[in-house]
Amino acid sequence: MTDALKRLSDEGVAIWLDDLSRKRITSGNLAELLDQSHVVGVTTNPSIFQKAISGGDGYDTQLTDLAARKVTVEEAIRMITTADVRDAADILRPVFDATQGQDGRVSIEVDPRLAHNTTATIAEAKQLAWLVDRPNTLIKIPATKAGLPAITETIGRGISVNVTLIFSLERYREVMDAYVAGLEKAKAAGLDLSKIHSVASFFVSRVDTEIDKRLDALGTPEAKEARGKAALANARLAYEAYEEIFSSDRWAALDRAQANKQRPLWASTGVKDPAYKDTLYVDELVAPNTVNTMPEATLEATADHGRITGDTVRGTYDTARADLEAVEKLGISYDEVVQLLEDEGVEKFATSWNDLLKSTEAELKRLAPSEG
């Protein structure tokens, strides 16, 4: 059943689960996925926590205690989410130790409402690292313009980071530059660079969803031919940029100081269009030293019928460039699409966070002890 997942791992792709809940932790399901499905990491985001906590599975005891203490809703959310991440990190700790810190990691995101505030993002990243208090945590910081200096500062303090919501090739280069600058700060401060890790979450399926919608509106044979190609092309060219940056002279100095390359992480890999194979963004994005974070449905589909045929990224760059150029020639602006997706991504996570605030507040009221 898991041969395809093993092949994927053997090709240098780390399989991470894009989901977490209290029930998944306490039922033994997470440990089972590590044991049987080659899962070596976990990513979370505000939408995942909103779904888990509003679903109510396993949170009543903690919520009752928090209600008795009359904590604020925001404090309650941080206590709940960091508890889940801490427990997941403990389950993943053997993987972390076995891979010298490369995998076995759990990601937790800064408050998405701070995405355009550099100072607050840095403060939140430090607070989350302190609250979770596990070496195998990654603090997620969005790749907004305000997020870039926050990445540098957080890495410079020795805190490992998962940079999220990357859609554009230009922004991805800025993210890698922010990471390298952070390592240079850490080195100047005398920190051990071998202990600092980072991944850059490059979003995939949402690119096809937006561009395909515009292609469908055109309705021409050329537009139909271009469907379903932009997301893979974008991700493959991101890997080309990764190869370039991490073989540069600037990187060589950090490499000598035992710094770790910032791995590309393929995010948003669940296929949205039923016309496409449900393992498209797994089968076609196989390259060494990458991460693919999958929702459970994609993980199961890959185990069942994924076709892992070796490296499907290197050697495709000319075709990838041609595929993106074909979209531009049809009058669809790449720059406009990727900026829209970034703006929407930040907005969606902020909306999920606000929904989480409301549902948690309702639960705290429901479980509050009667006065007297």
Side-chain angles (χ1 to χ4, degrees):
M1 184 73 170
T2 56
D3 279 354
L5 295 174
K6 182 180 187 305
R7 284 198 295 276
L8 194 60
S9 296
D10 290 346
E11 290 292 340
V13 180
I15 299 166
W16 291 7
L17 177 71
D18 192 26
D19 191 50
L20 187 63
S21 68
R22 185 74 48 90
K23 187 177 181 182
R24 196 182 282 285
I25 292 164
T26 57
S27 68
N29 172 262
L30 180 58
E32 191 176 279
L33 289 172
L34 268 62
D35 186 48
Q36 299 178 13
S37 299
H38 302 276
V39 169
V40 293
V42 170
T43 47
T44 68
N45 61 45
S47 300
I48 285 169
F49 279 127
Q50 193 273 328
K51 183 181 165 192
I53 296 170
S54 62
D57 281 334
Y59 294 96
D60 272 13
T61 301
Q62 189 178 10
L63 279 162
T64 300
D65 290 345
L66 292 166
R69 289 173 50 214
K70 297 183 178 178
V71 303
T72 66
V73 180
E74 295 202 2
E75 185 185 350
I77 288 170
R78 275 309 180 209
M79 291 298 101
I80 292 165
T81 57
T82 54
D84 277 1
V85 168
R86 191 181 307 114
D87 288 345
D90 288 344
I91 292 168
L92 283 152
R93 184 59 190 263
V95 178
F96 174 81
D97 292 338
T99 60
Q100 285 76 54
Q102 175 139 297
D103 288 307
R105 291 186 173 269
V106 187
S107 297
I108 184 168
E109 189 148 346
V110 297
D111 184 334
R113 298 170 301 175
L114 307 176
H116 303 297
N117 184 328
T118 302
T119 305
T121 294
I122 294 165
E124 174 95 342
K126 287 158 56 184
Q127 170 77 352
L128 282 174
W130 177 82
L131 266 177
V132 177
D133 193 27
R134 293 295 184 272
N136 51 328
T137 313
L138 288 171
I139 307 302
K140 285 178 89 172
I141 296 176
T144 55
K145 276 290 184 189
L148 295 171
I151 293 159
T152 297
E153 184 62 29
T154 305
I155 290 289
R157 289 171 179 266
I159 298 170
S160 294
V161 171
N162 175 344
V163 184
T164 188
L165 289 174
I166 308 171
F167 295 94
S168 88
L169 293 165
E170 180 184 358
R171 182 57 53 83
Y172 178 45
R173 286 180 176 275
E174 291 173 338
V175 164
M176 289 188 284
D177 184 68
Y179 172 62
V180 170
L183 287 176
E184 288 167 344
K185 284 189 79 162
K187 185 183 176 190
L191 300 182
D192 180 356
L193 300 194
S194 71
K195 298 280 195 277
I196 304 170
H197 287 259
S198 183
V199 292
S201 296
F202 201 86
F203 279 54
V204 186
S205 67
R206 293 187 197 182
V207 174
D208 270 343
T209 300
E210 182 60 33
I211 288 180
D212 284 356
K213 182 174 75 177
R214 298 177 184 217
L215 291 168
D216 290 345
L218 292 173
T220 63
E222 293 84 3
K224 192 174 279 190
E225 175 61 27
R227 282 186 104 259
K229 294 180 178 178
L232 289 175
N234 200 35
R236 286 165 170 170
L237 292 175
Y239 193 83
E240 181 186 41
Y242 156 80
E243 288 187 303
E244 180 191 321
I245 296 297
F246 291 105
S247 60
S248 67
D249 291 343
R250 184 184 181 192
W251 176 252
L254 292 166
D255 190 50
R256 286 192 293 273
Q258 295 188 298
N260 299 290
K261 292 177 181 177
Q262 181 186 54
R263 287 183 293 172
L265 178 152
W266 311 129
S268 180
T269 56
V271 172
K272 309 288 194 290
D273 189 333
Y276 303 148
K277 188 185 177 190
D278 54 2
T279 60
L280 176 69
Y281 304 124
V282 179
D283 298 352
E284 299 299 330
L285 289 175
V286 178
N289 211 37
T290 57
V291 179
N292 195 310
T293 186
M294 309 178 203
E296 191 167 22
T298 305
L299 183 73
E300 289 174 352
T302 302
D304 184 60
H305 51 262
R307 287 193 72 249
I308 310 304
T309 57
D311 191 331
T312 49
V313 173
R314 291 181 296 185
T316 67
Y317 305 142
D318 288 344
T319 302
R321 260 184 287 280
D323 286 341
L324 287 186
E325 284 165 10
V327 170
E328 285 275 357
K329 282 174 186 168
L330 290 166
I332 296 170
S333 167
Y334 172 85
D335 290 340
E336 183 193 320
V337 166
V338 292
Q339 187 58 56
L340 172 72
L341 290 172
E342 180 188 306
D343 294 343
E344 282 184 352
V346 171
E347 191 180 320
K348 282 176 184 172
F349 280 170
T351 299
S352 293
W353 196 259
N354 286 326
D355 289 344
L356 177 55
L357 285 167
K358 287 175 196 163
S359 55
T360 303
E361 184 174 32
E363 288 296 290
L364 288 169
K365 282 180 180 169
R366 177 177 72 83
L367 297 164
S370 54
E371 296 296 329

